[in-house]
Amino acid sequence: MAITDIDRAAIGAAVTAAERTTDAEIVAIVADRSDAYHDAALHWVLLGLLLLVAVVAAIPATFIAILDAVYGGWGGEWTMGQLFAALLILLIIGFLALRFATAPDAVRMSLTPRATKTRRVRARAVLLFRAAIEARTATRTGVLLYVSLAEHRAEIVTDDAVLTKVSPDAWGEAMAALVEGLKDGRTGDGMVAAIGQVGAVLADHFPFTGTDPNELPDRLIEL
C-alpha cells in the first residue's frame, strides 16, 4: 500500500481539480500509522503473566518439581521465600520474553482490537486537523482527508462552517470509495476517488466564487 510518485501527482491534481469547483479547502494526509500501540501489547503481556501465575497456582507440585530438576534435587525443602523468589524470576523471564515477542510492529498491530485502532486513528486525525488546518482558512471551510496505512482506516474531519452545513452522512460515498481502494491495495486511486466525492459535496454547499484564495497546500502530505 505504499504511495508512489504517480499517486502523489494524481492526489495533488485531484485536490486542485476539486478546489476549482468550491471555495472550500481540501487537505490530504497519509500516515504510516497513527499510533505505536505499545499499551495494547502491554495489556497482552500482563495477561500472559497473570496466566503464568494462575498455572503455577493450579499445579504447584509441578512447579516445585521443575525447581528440583533445575537444582538437581539438592535444594532440600523449599522455603516460602525461596518459592516466591523463584516465581518472581519466572515472571521477569516471562515479561522479557513476551515483550520481545510483541516488539515487531506487525505483531502489535495484530494484537490491537479493531475498536482501539478506530479510536486512535480518529484521535490522530482530529489532532492533525486542529494543529494544521482548523481556522487556517478565512471562511473556516477546511476539510481533512486522513488515511492511516497500517490500520487500513481513514477519516474525514471538517472545519466549523462545513460542519454546520454538511451532514456527516454526506461523506458516505467518499469514504466508501476510499475504503474500497484501501482494501484493494490501491491507496492512491482510493484517495483520488474520495477527493472527487468530497469536492462534489463541497461544491453543492460552497460553490466556487473566485474570491476565496488558496490557503492550504494541494499536495499530499505524508507523515
Side-chain angles (χ1 to χ4, degrees), residues 158 161-171 201-202 205-206:
T158 66
V162 178
L163 189 61
T164 58
K165 288 189 176 184
V166 182
S167 167
D169 296 339
W171 310 116
V201 172
L202 293 173
H205 296 86
F206 305 94

Side-chain angles (χ1 to χ4, degrees), residues 10-76:
I11 292 168
V15 172
T16 300
E19 290 183 353
R20 291 196 188 103
T21 66
T22 176
D23 279 349
E25 296 275 349
I26 302 171
V27 176
I29 297 180
V30 170
D32 287 335
R33 65 184 182 185
S34 293
D35 194 275
Y37 301 102
H38 287 295
D39 58 331
L42 183 59
H43 292 161
W44 286 100
V45 171
L46 294 177
L47 182 61
L49 295 181
L50 290 175
L51 180 61
L52 184 59
V53 171
V55 170
V56 171
I59 50 173
T62 302
F63 177 59
I64 293 175
I66 293 173
L67 292 179
D68 286 338
V70 170
Y71 282 90
W74 298 345

Side-chain angles (χ1 to χ4, degrees), residues 127-157:
L127 178 63
L128 290 171
F129 178 81
R130 289 176 175 170
I133 300 171
E134 188 175 37
R136 295 285 296 275
T137 62
T139 53
R140 303 295 291 268
T141 54
V143 175
L144 169 63
L145 181 66
Y146 175 72
V147 174
S148 194
L149 296 176
E151 294 90 343
H152 294 204
R153 281 164 174 75
E155 291 286 343
I156 294 176
V157 187

